[in-house]
């Protein structure tokens, strides 16, 4: 039996306002809560028991798991106060059933990847490592902590985000999945906030532990920001990102009960939620429309996320924006590039729209 801990207790601040009501891993992506993609991939890799390490809005997970049958045993460990990534792993320990040297897989709750999870676990066991980390190369490593490895795959350092070109010593970053020997989890301090990236990993290196990096160059995306969230959804809908939880791969995904006018155009991997309404001549391109949202006649919604029950008025133009649950955008509004509308906010109709070159 292989067990896993899925870290899902973060506040998801970068995805606000979508995460005001719903924790990031429970946001719907390609028809199911994001966490279902991770749980079903773990299941298919032979993981038979998973501990959901929750904190922020833990009740949303409990309610979902109670009614879900994902073919894997799921238990919930809830921190009263968030304990950080390392503290959450330590807190989950009492819910694990495996033996002292057994491998325990840890997943960050916001990563979509094509990692060979079984291969990572098997190589961890064969190499008798204390920790095996999934690393991925990124084209621009400046925004990430770096993890250089030697020729044998041993991790040499955990470096903070590079400030100068000289500090970019590798393009490898921690890709948000690791295998711990269970006894290593026992050594994490109990009952206080611990960052696995800033405290546990550097501490293990300093004590001479065997920390191995495993490079996988396949699909990887951290869904932490609105842009990345939209990208991840598109990639799941179109099959670029692998997930057993996506029913039918296609150009777009329209869930049951959505009403799409025949003259509306849906494209670019868009996902239309249950009960959503897309009116005549509307264009939805590369976007995510949550359950029960309405897109008015002639509106254009591009690379955007429209929250549950939100209403976008006729002839609106949305490019790269996030509209919170239940917000109402009056007709002819134009919102662009990173704009975020909070849940329940109402924007009046715009009576005249001036063209940008007037
Ligand atoms: P941002 O606030 O937008 O940075 O997102 P986040 O809260 O998800 O934080 P981050 O991306 O740094 O967290 C990485 C993973 O660890 C995510 O899956 C989080 O849900 C999870 N996580 C972060 N902090 C905690 C915590 O205190 N407890 C638990 N159980 N999980 C956590």
């Amino acid at each position: 039996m292989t067990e896993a801990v899925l870290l899902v207790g973060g506040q998801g601040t970068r995805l606000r306002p979508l995460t005001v009501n719903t924790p990031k891993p429970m946001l719907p992506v390609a028809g199911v809560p994001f966490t279902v993609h991770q749980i079903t991939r773990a299941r298919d890799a032979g993981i038979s028991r998973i501990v959901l390490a929750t904190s922020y809005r833990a009740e949303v997970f409990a309610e979902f798991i109670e009614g879900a049958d994902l073919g894997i045993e799921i238990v919930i460990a809830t921190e009263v106060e968030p304990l950080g990534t390392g503290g959450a792993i330590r807190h989950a320990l009492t819910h694990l059933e495996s033996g002292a040297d057994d491998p325990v897989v840890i997943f960050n709750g916001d990563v979509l990847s094509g990692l060979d999870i079984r291969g990572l676990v098997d190589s961890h066991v064969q190499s008798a490592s204390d920790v095996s980390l999934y690393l991925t190369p990124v084209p621009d490593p400046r925004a990430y902590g770096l993890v250089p490895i030697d020729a044998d795959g041993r991790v040499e350092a955990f470096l903070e985000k590079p400030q100068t070109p000289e500090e970019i010593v590798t393009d490898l970053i921690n890709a948000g999945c690791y295998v711990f020997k269970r006894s290593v989890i026992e050594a994490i301090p109990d009952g206080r906030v611990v960052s696995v990236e800033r405290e546990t990993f550097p501490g293990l290196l300093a004590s001479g532990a065997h920390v191995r990096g495993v490079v996988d160059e396949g699909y990887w995306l951290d869904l932490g920001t609105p842009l990345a969230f939209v990208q991840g959804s598109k990639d799941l809908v179109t099959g670029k990102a692998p997930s057993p939880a996506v029913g039918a791969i296609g150009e777009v995904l329209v869930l049951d009960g959505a009403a799409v006018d025949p003259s509306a155009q849906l494209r670019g991997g868009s996902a239309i939620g249950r009960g959503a309404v897309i009116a005549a001549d509307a264009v939805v391109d590369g976007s995510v429309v949550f359950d029960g949202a309405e897109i008015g006649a002639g509106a254009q919604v591009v690379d955007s996320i429209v929250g549950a029950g939100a209403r976008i008025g006729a002839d609106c133009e949305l490019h790269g924006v996030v509209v919170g649950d239940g917000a109402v955008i009056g007709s002819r509004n134009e919102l662009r590039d990173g704009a975020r509308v909070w849940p329940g906010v109402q924007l009046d109709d715009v009576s005249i729209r001036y063209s940008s070159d007037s």
Side-chain angles (χ1 to χ4, degrees):
M1 175 180 83
T2 307
E3 291 184 296
V5 176
L6 182 52
L7 298 172
V8 290
Q11 297 208 359
T13 48
R14 289 168 298 159
L15 265 182
R16 280 183 193 155
L18 298 173
T19 47
V20 171
N21 298 322
T22 310
K24 179 167 50 179
M26 285 300 293
L27 289 172
V29 184
V32 292
F34 178 67
T35 201
V36 172
H37 298 291
Q38 289 191 306
I39 292 173
T40 52
R41 283 203 84 240
R43 177 201 65 200
D44 287 3
I47 290 169
S48 50
R49 198 162 176 279
I50 203 154
V51 180
L52 277 190
T54 65
S55 175
Y56 176 68
R57 292 210 167 261
E59 71 285 357
V60 182
F61 293 95
E63 204 177 304
F64 175 72
I65 295 305
E66 213 178 276
D69 179 8
L70 300 175
I72 178 171
E73 186 185 353
I74 300 172
V75 287
I76 295 187
T78 302
E79 298 138 54
V80 181
E81 293 294 329
L83 294 171
T85 44
I89 298 168
R90 179 65 180 82
H91 179 262
L93 184 69
T94 50
H95 298 265
L96 296 173
E97 293 179 345
S98 40
D101 286 337
D102 285 345
V104 179
V105 187
I106 316 289
F107 297 102
N108 273 7
D110 44 11
V111 168
L112 187 57
S113 87
L115 172 71
D116 173 7
I117 301 168
R118 189 76 247 159
L120 183 71
V121 176
D122 289 347
S123 69
H124 170 84
V125 173
Q126 276 152 21
S127 60
S129 299
D130 294 308
V131 175
S132 298
L133 272 113
Y134 162 33
L135 306 178
T136 190
V138 290
D140 182 2
R142 283 176 299 182
Y144 303 92
L146 305 181
V147 187
I149 54 174
D150 71 13
D152 299 324
R154 257 188 122 104
V155 171
E156 295 177 315
F158 290 91
L159 305 172
E160 295 287 332
K161 286 179 191 166
Q163 305 294 329
T164 62
E166 294 73 44
E167 286 176 7
I168 304 177
V169 294
T170 176
D171 61 355
L172 295 176
I173 65 161
N174 171 357
C177 172
Y178 7 97
V179 187
F180 275 68
K181 208 181 256 184
R182 184 191 158 123
S183 53
V184 173
I185 300 178
E186 274 159 23
I188 298 174
D190 194 11
R192 71 163 170 87
V193 175
V194 179
S195 160
V196 76
E197 300 86 358
R198 288 191 206 95
E199 187 175 339
T200 310
F201 288 150
L204 282 166
L205 273 194
S207 68
H210 186 189
V211 183
R212 231 169 102 258
V214 177
V215 181
D216 186 302
E217 304 202 356
Y219 184 91
W220 178 85
L221 189 69
D222 174 344
L223 268 73
T225 65
L227 267 184
F229 185 87
V230 167
Q231 188 64 50
S233 177
K234 289 195 269 195
D235 290 346
L236 281 164
V237 167
T238 57
K240 192 174 164 205
S243 167
V246 178
I249 288 163
E251 160 78 359
V252 293
L253 175 68
V254 179
L255 294 173
D256 290 350
V260 180
D261 188 276
S263 64
Q265 295 178 49
L266 307 181
R267 52 181 182 245
S270 292
I272 312 298
R274 292 172 187 83
V277 176
I278 315 292
D281 298 319
V283 175
V284 181
D285 188 354
S287 294
V288 183
V289 176
F290 284 1
D291 291 356
E294 292 180 24
I295 311 296
Q300 290 187 33
V301 179
V302 181
D303 295 337
S304 296
I305 308 168
V306 179
R311 297 212 308 269
I312 310 300
D315 296 319
C316 280
E317 284 189 26
L318 270 55
H319 287 255
V321 306
V322 179
V323 178
D325 297 344
V328 178
I329 312 292
S331 56
R332 291 179 293 277
N333 272 283
E334 191 175 322
L335 299 171
R336 290 186 177 270
D337 307 338
R340 296 180 191 213
V341 180
W342 232 245
V345 164
Q346 303 208 0
L347 297 186
D348 290 344
D349 291 348
V350 173
S351 46
I352 309 166
R353 191 166 66 218
Y354 296 97
S355 72
S356 53
D357 52 6
S358 65

